[in-house]
């Protein structure tokens, strides 16, 4: 896992990348920038596959649940938004409210 200082460095390199050509980077700069770009995308893909279940997501990623949670916190990603039953519950509640409103208006 990248340390905070290393992550900050990688993000600064992504910003610099707009000013530098890839051939001007050191190997470490290129790898840090690639990791900073790819890591959140990977976490989102894993969470989608696991439908927001952190235990399954960690298993798919091959890391501990604790490490997976630290990674999604680092990138400010919420697992709740990937849980389908949350949206089903909301949809059911909205339907009930709409039905109640329809009954009242009759």
């Amino acid at each position: 896992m990248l340390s905070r200082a290393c992550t900050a460095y990688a993000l600064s390199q992504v910003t610099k990348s707009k000013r530098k050509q890839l051939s001007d980077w050191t190997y470490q700069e290129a790898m840090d920038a690639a990791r900073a770009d790819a890591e959140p995308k990977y976490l989102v893909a894993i969470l989608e596959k696991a439908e927001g279940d952190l235990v399954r997501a960690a298993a798919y990623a091959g890391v501990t649940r604790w490490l997976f949670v630290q990674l999604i916190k680092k990138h400010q990603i919420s697992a709740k938004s990937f849980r389908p039953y949350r949206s089903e519950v909301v949809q059911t509640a909205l339907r009930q409210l709409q039905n109640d409103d329809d009954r009242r208006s009759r």
Side-chain angles (χ1 to χ4, degrees):
M1 186 170 129
L2 288 174
S3 69
R4 290 185 193 274
C6 188
T7 302
Y9 173 77
L11 292 175
S12 72
Q13 295 309 305
V14 171
T15 304
K16 286 182 184 177
S17 69
K18 296 175 182 169
R19 291 179 272 146
K20 290 170 64 174
Q21 290 185 349
L22 185 59
S23 60
D24 295 333
W25 291 8
T26 66
Y27 176 78
Q28 190 62 49
E29 288 173 337
M31 292 299 99
D32 290 344
R35 179 180 296 254
D37 184 50
E39 193 171 72
K41 292 176 184 175
Y42 174 74
L43 295 171
V44 166
I46 291 293
L47 281 167
E48 286 174 346
K49 181 178 179 181
E51 297 181 335
D53 184 322
L54 292 173
V55 174
R56 283 193 307 154
Y60 291 151
V63 298
T64 64
R65 181 186 175 281
W66 181 86
L67 178 58
F68 194 83
V69 168
Q70 296 306 308
L71 289 169
I72 64 172
K73 280 182 180 179
K74 176 176 125 182
H75 294 287
Q76 300 175 344
I77 299 169
S78 171
K80 289 180 183 179
S81 59
F82 296 93
R83 295 179 185 152
Y85 65 86
R86 296 255 185 220
S87 60
E88 290 173 15
V89 169
V90 170
Q91 288 174 359
T92 302
L94 288 174
R95 271 189 245 120
Q96 287 175 345
L97 288 172
Q98 189 173 14
N99 289 339
D100 291 344
D101 288 343
D102 290 344
R103 288 182 196 143
R104 287 183 200 144
S105 63
R106 290 183 192 176

